[in-house]
Amino acid sequence: MNNRVKADAALALCTLVWGATFVLVKNALADASVLAFLAVRFIAATVLMALIFRQALARTTRAEILAGAWIGVFMFGGYVFQTVGLFYTTPSKAAFITGSSVVLVPIFHGIFWRTRIGVWIWLGAAAALAGLYLLTVPASGLGQLNRGDLIASGCTVMFALHILFVGHFSPKHSPGGLAFYQIAMTALLAAIAVPLASAMRWERLRFHATPELWLAIFITAAFATAFAFSVQVWAQQHTTPTHTAILFSLEPVFAAITSLLVLGERLTGRALGGAAMIMAGIVATEMLGGKPVAADSVE
């Protein structure tokens, strides 16, 4: 088995792990408040990644720290919107909403760097937007819109900006250092937000240390963050951006399958049609819109 096949298999495994964690996090939120869960998860991931990337961190620069911190701000915002939304909605819906962030990346790139936005990118964005409407808005109308779906939609902008700036900074810095500092920044902001949100009465602090909660923290910190980011750094050196984009686009599909098997979640025909349109929009953007833009996952 050559390195390209190994790399594709490794990225497929990462995507499967990321998709499955939507169900894990959904269940964990029964025992922990959103910010408390995120703080513990990312603090643990920061410690693990410090061990994994210790050699890269020994050669770090101030510019690399600042770049990672800047990316971490968007990562933190994305996870807050995603996880709060997941508390109120289903894993499948949250995953497809999150995945739709990919179609915004080339649009933001065109706005910020004044590059041409091709017709396939606009068509992909239109398909994803129509798919989001079908997925989240019931046939009875906007009055029955699940607030979790609305909140989770906020993560699409934050994760799109995160992907965009990872792509901007990654050629200038070591992958390990950049991965570590964005995770560390997310952990820092989550830790600061916990007492602040409690004091402002935005979110009541909860953390019931059940075995299920610790299992979710372990899997999301060790496998979905530290392990997956480390594997991704290696794998993307041995495969093509197109392969990476295709594999990462399967994350919401794996999330839907996991949610069906574990929680028995079944999307309605309308919602399935919306999910299919989102996937079509992602594929159109990634495969036909020019250079693939999916720099990394958002789970």
Side-chain angles (χ1 to χ4, degrees):
M1 185 182 295
N2 59 41
N3 281 337
R4 174 168 290 189
V5 175
K6 291 179 182 177
D8 287 346
L11 290 175
L13 177 60
C14 289
T15 307
L16 175 61
V17 170
W18 284 322
T21 56
F22 280 90
V23 172
L24 273 175
V25 174
K26 174 71 174 179
N27 290 337
L29 294 178
D31 297 312
S33 54
V34 168
L35 291 171
F37 174 80
L38 290 177
V40 176
R41 168 187 173 174
F42 281 98
I43 289 172
T46 300
V47 173
L48 290 172
M49 292 186 75
L51 297 174
I52 294 170
F53 294 116
R54 57 187 180 276
Q55 293 183 347
L57 297 180
R59 302 186 298 271
T60 195
T61 64
R62 181 174 180 272
E64 188 169 83
I65 295 173
L66 292 175
W70 177 244
I71 297 169
V73 170
F74 296 120
M75 175 179 273
F76 170 72
Y79 273 107
V80 170
F81 278 113
Q82 182 194 73
T83 312
V84 173
L86 185 55
F87 181 80
Y88 297 105
T89 192
T90 64
S92 294
K93 284 189 174 183
F96 279 106
I97 292 169
T98 300
S100 67
S101 62
V102 169
V103 304
L104 295 178
V105 178
I107 295 176
F108 285 161
H109 190 278
I111 293 171
F112 294 155
W113 281 279
R114 298 183 179 180
T115 56
R116 180 178 176 273
I117 303 173
V119 64
W120 280 108
I121 292 174
W122 287 117
L123 289 174
L129 182 62
L132 280 174
Y133 181 86
L134 292 175
L135 179 70
T136 60
V137 179
S140 55
L142 288 170
Q144 300 300 314
L145 178 65
N146 184 310
R147 62 174 171 172
D149 295 338
L150 185 61
I151 294 169
S153 296
C155 81
T156 61
V157 174
M158 300 303 294
F159 281 139
L161 292 171
H162 173 260
I163 293 170
L164 181 67
F165 283 100
V166 167
H168 176 69
F169 286 118
S170 58
K172 307 172 186 178
H173 304 286
S174 71
L178 205 60
F180 170 81
Y181 288 114
Q182 63 179 304
I183 297 298
M185 185 63 173
T186 302
L188 176 62
L189 291 174
I192 293 172
V194 169
L196 179 62
S198 181
M200 299 295 290
R201 297 184 179 179
W202 294 336
E203 181 182 55
R204 183 173 62 86
L205 174 62
R206 292 185 300 111
F207 195 89
H208 305 299
T210 62
E212 293 79 11
L213 176 58
W214 284 119
L215 177 63
I217 290 172
F218 172 72
I219 292 176
T220 54
F223 292 100
T225 306
F227 169 77
F229 268 78
S230 303
V231 169
Q232 181 186 341
V233 168
W234 171 82
Q236 288 193 235
Q237 297 173 0
H238 299 285
T239 191
T240 65
T242 299
H243 283 200
T244 302
I246 292 172
L247 291 167
F248 282 176
S249 71
L250 295 175
E251 182 179 333
V253 176
F254 287 139
I257 293 172
T258 306
S259 188
L260 172 64
L261 295 176
V262 177
L263 301 179
E265 179 195 354
R266 295 180 182 275
L267 293 174
T268 65
R270 178 185 176 91
L272 280 172
M277 290 186 71
I278 291 172
M279 290 299 298
I282 293 172
V283 172
T285 301
E286 293 285 1
M287 301 298 103
L288 304 173
K291 183 180 178 181
V293 295
D296 60 350
S297 176
V298 287
E299 177 51 46

